[in-house]
Amino acid sequence: MLNKGQSEEELFTFLSRKRREDLDHDFILSSMCTIPHSVAVRAHCMFMETNLGDPGLFPGTYSIEQLLIRRFGALFHCPEAGGYATSGGTESNIQALRLAKVQKCGITSPNVIVPESAHFSFKKACDMLGLEIRSVPLRKDYRMDADGAAGLIDKNTIALVGIAGTTEYGMVDPIADLAKIAQQHELFFHVDAAFGGMVIPFLDRPVPFDFALPGVTTIAVDPHKMGMSTIPCGCLLTRDPTMLHTLNIDTPYLTVKQEYTLAGTRPGAPVAGALAVLDYLGAEGMKAVVAGCMKNTERIIAGMETLGYPRAATPDLNVATFVCPKELVPGPWRVSWTRKNHLRIVCMPHVHAGRVEAFLTDMQKNRTR
Ligand code: 0PR
């Protein structure tokens, strides 16, 4: 702590310098977050001091959260779905498994079945909740093997997890098959659509992944990824509108007497930002954004293959992966590498056509050098 406060000018000179150390989005090809939409930023600023942790003080903001859940419920074919705004996919996944555990509270050594491609947030969730994690190997096409999942189910299995838009390869697991298996075994079935939930519904040919499938219990979707909202905003949706109340704990001195959320204080600003984007763009606007991202994904795959770097997978969504030596990616570009050492590029909205061409040109220069 400084003894004497700094001048505002001195302080903001320092902050600006620090901010300039951050990378320019023009070169970020590795991220599932993007530059927030301008309407999200405007809404965020309006709701800066709102706290959804004490909703009685902010009834307007709370009703926006409810509206956001209603929008996603309708988009995911269950208009009456319950849910709330989380801090992102990690919290949604933790809370989904917490719900599963509460439903099957009689089981003493519970296990959860997830694909090998599951985001590492499931490891955190299982660690915190004392759940054994059973990982199902992927098929050759990087999707979860539904038969493999069925083979791991036993009397202690409390939940099955499928991913609609995997972090590393952009694949959608066979959610319809998994939903059937979950129904047959009366299992809680959580779909992690943190990334894909804002992509799949807007594709020309959407694959089934949501509450239209009777076996799906809960869905995670992140407006702060493809929803272009400000950070942090995720949503957890439950088919049963009352299910979240099974997590209720008493909060005697708040404006509400019980809460089921994981966080206490929760920002209303990014929630307003998320709704702003949805209502500003509408389904038509989102389709255009998604179509652009998919087109850029196809272009980057075609361009890289022309340069001699074959795709590692044919993705369902806007994540492109390649067989390519690490040293061939030029400096300013930030890409990521999968666990199998494939070059990974996420074609988020900020990775527009011009950036894709610039990247391909730099890759070509590096190759011929
Ligand atoms: N589920 C899936 C399918 C995800 O891809 C992610 C995050 C999560 C859950 C967890 O979401 P939160 O990080 O919101 O809790 N996927 C990205 C990843 O791990 C998150 C990310 C975004 C990482 C931007 C880096 C980055 O620059 O790659």
Side-chain angles (χ1 to χ4, degrees):
M1 185 85 198
L2 302 176
N3 194 30
K4 199 170 178 303
Q6 276 181 324
S7 75
E8 197 167 328
E9 203 192 323
E10 209 180 345
L11 175 64
F12 278 86
T13 304
F14 167 76
L15 292 178
S16 311
R17 200 173 65 238
K18 285 290 147 196
R19 187 68 183 100
R20 282 197 300 275
E21 288 174 16
D22 292 342
L23 295 187
D24 187 334
H25 265 84
D26 271 357
F27 292 97
I28 300 179
L29 306 181
S30 58
S31 174
M32 284 193 157
C33 290
T34 192
I35 301 171
H37 194 287
S38 58
V39 298
V41 175
R42 187 169 167 194
H44 188 109
C45 293
M46 275 175 75
F47 286 79
M48 202 73 92
E49 66 275 34
T50 62
N51 172 17
L52 287 166
D54 205 358
L57 301 184
F58 304 99
T61 312
Y62 176 65
S63 69
I64 288 177
E65 183 184 24
Q66 296 303 301
L67 211 50
L68 183 64
I69 297 303
R70 278 225 295 282
R71 292 276 189 278
F72 278 120
L75 187 65
F76 297 162
H77 302 100
C78 183
E80 65 285 0
Y84 81 97
T86 64
S87 58
T90 300
E91 181 179 338
S92 300
N93 291 339
I94 292 170
Q95 287 284 83
L97 294 193
R98 214 176 140 211
L99 281 169
K101 193 179 172 187
V102 170
Q103 315 302 306
K104 302 258 176 159
C105 55
I107 295 179
T108 46
S109 16
N111 67 67
V112 174
I113 296 171
V114 307
E116 225 170 42
S117 54
H119 185 257
F120 50 78
S121 49
F122 288 101
K123 287 210 179 105
K124 298 182 190 176
C126 289
D127 183 34
M128 288 165 68
L129 294 164
L131 305 172
E132 178 200 339
I133 193 159
R134 293 190 175 175
S135 202
V136 183
L138 303 183
R139 304 187 315 212
K140 280 206 179 69
D141 62 4
Y142 292 97
R143 294 189 184 92
M144 187 182 196
D145 179 0
D147 293 335
L152 288 181
I153 297 170
D154 66 17
K155 62 179 189 343
N156 292 325
T157 303
I158 61 160
L160 181 61
V161 171
I163 317 292
T166 59
T167 312
E168 288 189 313
Y169 292 91
M171 304 309 296
V172 180
D173 285 333
I175 304 294
D177 296 341
L178 294 165
K180 269 195 211 129
I181 293 169
Q183 267 192 307
Q184 278 159 9
H185 294 267
E186 294 181 11
L187 287 179
F188 188 109
F189 180 33
H190 175 59
V191 177
D192 179 357
F195 184 70
M198 290 291 286
V199 182
I200 301 166
F202 307 113
L203 291 171
D204 290 338
R205 279 185 302 279
V207 278
F209 80 103
D210 63 18
F211 294 124
L213 303 166
V216 173
T217 318
T218 50
I219 301 176
V221 57
D222 282 358
H224 72 203
K225 296 191 167 76
M226 280 296 289
M228 295 167 287
S229 99
T230 48
I231 296 172
C233 188
C235 288
L236 176 64
L237 278 289
T238 61
R239 175 191 297 279
D240 171 355
T242 64
M243 183 183 264
L244 279 166
H245 295 291
T246 60
L247 299 182
N248 268 345
I249 50 113
D250 294 336
T251 52
Y253 51 84
L254 298 185
T255 52
V256 282
K257 297 301 158 211
Q258 292 193 308
E259 80 179 18
Y260 45 69
T261 57
L262 190 58
T265 301
R266 294 189 300 126
V271 176
L275 187 79
V277 177
L278 285 188
D279 284 6
Y280 180 75
L281 293 180
E284 274 182 17
M286 275 308 300
K287 274 187 189 158
V289 170
V290 165
C293 293
M294 293 305 293
K295 196 169 160 212
N296 291 335
T297 308
E298 281 160 26
R299 167 66 190 132
I300 212 161
I301 292 176
M304 286 290 277
E305 290 196 329
T306 306
L307 293 176
Y309 308 120
R311 74 190 75 183
T314 299
D316 295 316
L317 309 181
N318 42 326
V319 180
T321 48
F322 303 96
V323 180
C324 174
K326 276 194 183 170
E327 61 278 11
L328 290 188
V329 180
W333 297 99
R334 291 303 167 113
V335 296
S336 54
W337 300 91
T338 70
R339 282 170 284 186
K340 287 192 171 354
N341 272 325
H342 292 133
L343 163 60
R344 168 181 173 268
I345 290 172
V346 191
C347 289
M348 293 301 288
H350 69 269
V351 185
H352 49 75
R355 300 315 298 157
V356 169
E357 296 310 324
F359 175 73
L360 289 171
T361 305
D362 283 0
M363 284 298 291
Q364 179 164 25
K365 275 190 212 146
N366 236 26
R367 210 174 87 95
T368 48
R369 192 171 288 159

